[in-house]
Amino acid sequence: MSLAGLRVVVSAGPTYEDLDPVRFIGNRSSGKMGFAVAAAAARRGARTVLIAGPVHLPTPDGVERIDVRSAAQMHDAVLRALPADVYVGAAAVADFTPENIASSKIKKTAGQDALVLRLVRTPDILADVARDARRPRCVVGFAAETDDVAHYARGKLEKKNIDMIAANRVGVAGSGFESDDNALNVYWRENNDAVGERALGPAPKTTLADALMDLIEERLHA
Ligand code: C5P
């Protein structure tokens, strides 16, 4: 029970951005990684709140789950869940959302060969948690990059003012969004502003979640 008495907030899964009453823009995140992180935190005795986008996964034992749909709803739910000691942003949050949601189903008309959608930026939940007055002591992000993973992951530590980032190692067999396995390169800020690094996996997401919680605990005690 190494996290007894601490509060951990985790976001997981995709967000769905509605276009009209029947259509949305989503992504292929399964939520498995974030659910595994929440389960690992609860097993260690943390009071754990899991803010979940639309996924088909059972709630881990001992976890308080709040279901949301859109990036805006996830933003509100995460910020309402503060204060916390740790925030892990494992959700694949939409970067853009339709400027307007049509109140009735968007129709195609005869002769129409294109539809233009205007999308606007969503709030950056991770960055907003990191700049909040109730900022958790340890703010952890995820990064899904295809190129130059180390460079972008390290950049994000600075840009979003976070303590740790777990970058999905692309191109590793069996890893990724819908898989049960993954491989992570984790980077964190040391007290002297150096950047620590550890490669985790390839391994089942449940195993990786425990290894990530080990690193988070080390940072909490550093
Ligand atoms: O900037 P980028 O989307 O690559 O950063 C990924 C990290 O930021 C993930 O931890 C994700 O949960 C978080 N994020 C967020 N809000 C957004 C976009 C990303 O919290 N609107």
Side-chain angles (χ1 to χ4, degrees):
M1 298 303 244
S2 47
L3 292 177
L6 298 190
R7 182 171 163 91
V8 174
V9 176
V10 181
S11 66
T15 64
Y16 285 179
E17 308 302 317
D18 288 336
L19 293 166
D20 69 15
V22 294
R23 306 184 182 95
F24 59 87
I25 298 172
N27 65 69
R28 299 167 74 103
S29 168
S30 66
K32 285 175 187 166
M33 191 68 229
F35 272 59
V37 169
R43 276 197 306 272
R44 291 167 190 231
R47 284 178 293 127
T48 307
V49 181
L50 173 61
I51 318 287
V55 295
H56 299 283
L57 291 173
T59 307
D61 282 346
V63 168
E64 179 194 342
R65 173 178 181 167
I66 298 168
D67 286 316
V68 297
R69 181 171 173 86
S70 65
Q73 288 172 1
M74 186 173 280
H75 182 266
D76 288 356
V78 167
L79 286 155
R80 261 202 309 271
L82 300 183
D85 300 282
V86 177
Y87 172 67
V88 181
V93 186
D95 290 320
F96 294 93
T97 191
E99 187 170 40
N100 301 300
I101 304 177
S103 56
S104 50
K105 188 180 168 191
I106 299 167
K107 298 274 191 217
K108 58 185 176 297
T109 52
Q112 181 187 14
D113 58 7
L115 171 69
V116 177
L117 290 175
R118 189 174 153 78
L119 307 178
V120 294
R121 281 295 291 269
T122 55
D124 189 321
I125 302 167
L126 186 61
D128 282 356
V129 167
R131 67 167 74 96
D132 196 274
R134 301 157 300 168
R135 185 193 194 285
R137 276 194 288 146
C138 189
V139 178
V140 183
F142 271 74
E145 302 287 354
T146 48
D147 310 294
D148 218 351
V149 176
H151 172 76
Y152 284 112
R154 284 161 172 266
K156 244 170 246 182
L157 279 179
E158 295 302 323
K159 209 172 74 193
K160 300 202 188 197
N161 183 33
I162 59 176
D163 304 288
M164 184 181 288
I165 189 147
N168 290 296
R169 215 146 71 221
V170 290
V172 176
S175 72
F177 263 167
E178 285 158 336
S179 168
D180 285 330
D181 288 18
N182 203 3
L184 298 174
N185 278 18
V186 185
Y187 305 88
W188 62 88
R189 275 203 269 210
E190 306 272 8
N191 291 344
N192 58 8
D193 260 4
V195 174
E197 177 179 357
R198 180 91 48 89
L200 303 179
K205 287 176 177 174
T206 50
T207 307
L208 289 178
D210 256 315
L212 187 64
M213 286 313 301
D214 285 341
L215 290 175
I216 290 171
E217 280 197 36
E218 276 175 37
R219 297 324 302 153
L220 287 172
H221 298 134

